[in-house]
Amino acid sequence: MAAAIKKVGVIGSGQMGNGIAHVAALGGFAVVLNDVSAERLKSAMATINGNLSRQLAKKIITEDARKSALANITATEKLDGLSDCDLVIETAVEKEEVKRKIFHDLCATLKPEAIVASNTSSISITRLAASTDRPERFIGIHFMNPVPLMELVELIRGIATDDATFDAAKAFVTQLGKQIAVSEDFPAFIVNRILLPMINEAIYTLYEGVGNVEAIDMAMKLGAHHPMGPLELADFIGLDTCLSIMQVLHEGLADSKYRPCPLLVKYVEAGWLGRKTQRGFYDYRGDKPVPTR
Ligand SMILES: NC(=O)c1ccc[n+]([C@@H]2O[C@H](COP(=O)([O-])OP(=O)(O)OC[C@H]3O[C@@H](n4cnc5c(N)ncnc54)[C@H](O)[C@@H]3O)[C@@H](O)[C@H]2O)c1
């Protein structure tokens, strides 16, 4: 029997964390949203509020649903505020050492029967599970960005994940109205294993001068019918996240075809991380995005 999930903790209130809190609260779960930064928590609550209002204006949700979703979410800077959650989803930065520290600290206060999940884009679920006191109740629940709009969630079992945990995660994701693709625990799973090398190749195309930012994005939008160009998409994902995923692929699969483009490294070193810092392959500080190359 799958354990009943009623209260969900979300660690990290960035673009993915606020999206996961949003859909879980709309799905009827009590949600506790955590971040180390009070400012990020405040801005996440404002984003959730704004996105729920937009859904109401588009008649996707009712006023009652908007109100009860907001009432379902509480925010805390303290990890022990999540101790009585039935499921905790970690969605902090894509750095293994940060995630391992979070799991270590979380497990010290979390009730033993609770399930722990990571929204990692690429890091081994088996390895993250091994840093907890409950590898059998650890699973990858990988949401797509933007969470309220995207239909897919990847579920990834670690080597020790038990059936009850998998079933509970499946029931949780289904209650959010999302579709599930099950992936084996290999670097970057399914979506990012395919998507990120394409984005990295687009950055090489820019780096080698084959085309400029506008030409590359237009080529893939009009020539391959992609809804967003690959460089625009990289800015949307976050260039730090893109680089971390390519590093995990490069190290995990030991194949030079996954070598992160030096231009991607340079943008990250500059702190030009895409939309979240207002600058990446486009500059977002004006009325409309302007290519930076
Ligand atoms: N961006 C995407 O398109 C995307 C899609 C799917 C999955 N992911 C994954 O989701 C995770 C988060 O990505 P994001 O785009 O939301 O990043 P982000 O940079 O927008 O947000 C990360 C948040 O984590 C917080 N944080 C850092 N250390 C913390 C800690 N110790 N405890 C609590 N909070 C902490 C930061 O303050 C920040 O608010 C990453 O693992 C990423 O790979 C990202």
Side-chain angles (χ1 to χ4, degrees):
M1 271 296 284
I5 294 171
K6 294 200 171 90
K7 191 167 185 180
V8 178
V10 179
I11 300 177
S13 68
Q15 53 183 345
M16 295 307 291
N18 76 57
I20 295 168
H22 173 142
V23 296
L26 262 186
F29 297 94
V31 177
V32 189
L33 182 58
N34 162 267
D35 204 293
V36 280
S37 151
E39 212 173 293
R40 293 300 292 259
L41 273 177
K42 208 171 144 203
S43 112
M45 293 306 289
T47 302
I48 294 169
N49 204 343
N51 288 343
L52 285 168
S53 298
R54 192 169 316 130
Q55 286 181 310
L56 176 65
K58 289 185 177 169
K59 298 195 166 50
I60 297 166
I61 60 169
T62 62
E63 172 58 11
D64 281 355
R66 186 192 71 86
K67 273 196 194 143
S68 63
L70 278 178
N72 279 348
I73 308 177
T74 52
T76 176
E77 278 170 77
K78 299 210 166 72
L79 213 46
D80 58 13
L82 278 63
S83 58
D84 63 344
C85 287
D86 306 303
L87 165 68
V88 176
I89 304 171
E90 170 281 320
T91 187
V93 283
E94 189 72 347
K95 295 266 175 247
E96 186 162 341
E97 65 279 13
V98 173
K99 293 186 188 296
R100 293 174 81 93
K101 167 90 169 65
I102 288 173
F103 293 133
H104 175 268
D105 296 349
L106 173 71
C107 288
T109 68
L110 185 61
K111 60 181 182 181
E113 65 274 26
I115 293 172
V116 179
S118 177
N119 183 48
T120 176
S121 300
S122 59
I123 301 168
S124 162
I125 297 302
T126 299
R127 215 161 57 230
L128 290 176
S131 71
T132 73
D133 59 358
R134 62 195 80 194
E136 65 287 352
R137 283 187 302 288
F138 191 97
I139 190 162
I141 305 182
H142 182 220
F143 288 85
M144 307 291 137
N145 185 18
V147 182
L149 292 184
M150 299 296 274
E151 286 163 80
L152 188 81
V153 172
E154 289 180 320
L155 283 187
I156 309 106
R157 299 177 80 136
I159 200 167
T161 309
D162 65 21
D163 290 344
T165 299
F166 182 80
D167 291 345
K170 199 170 158 188
F172 167 70
V173 172
T174 304
Q175 193 170 329
L176 305 184
K178 307 283 187 199
Q179 301 291 317
I180 294 169
V182 177
S183 170
E184 287 298 318
D185 188 17
F186 280 96
F189 320 124
I190 297 173
V191 172
N192 287 328
R193 169 79 178 263
I194 299 168
L195 183 64
L196 262 294
M198 193 269 296
I199 289 175
N200 194 47
E201 198 61 27
I203 303 169
Y204 269 113
T205 310
L206 178 66
Y207 178 62
E208 291 166 10
V210 181
N212 63 19
V213 169
E214 267 177 327
I216 292 165
D217 276 349
M218 187 201 271
M220 293 306 286
K221 276 195 282 193
L222 304 185
H225 224 279
H226 288 194
M228 283 173 108
L231 301 173
E232 198 185 351
L233 180 57
D235 276 357
F236 186 67
I237 294 170
L239 301 189
D240 52 340
T241 301
C242 290
L243 177 59
S244 296
I245 297 169
M246 287 312 300
Q247 285 165 335
V248 168
L249 280 168
H250 194 212
E251 282 159 25
L253 298 169
D255 189 328
S256 62
K257 75 178 176 184
Y258 299 112
R259 185 171 76 101
C261 179
L263 188 60
L264 173 61
V265 176
K266 190 182 274 191
Y267 270 70
V268 172
E269 284 173 351
W272 293 15
L273 306 183
R275 279 185 179 271
K276 62 184 167 189
T277 58
Q278 300 270 289
R279 225 175 340 179
F281 293 111
Y282 293 86
D283 187 333
Y284 300 92
R285 291 170 301 172
D287 291 343
K288 59 178 199 145
V290 177
T292 51
R293 287 179 93 80

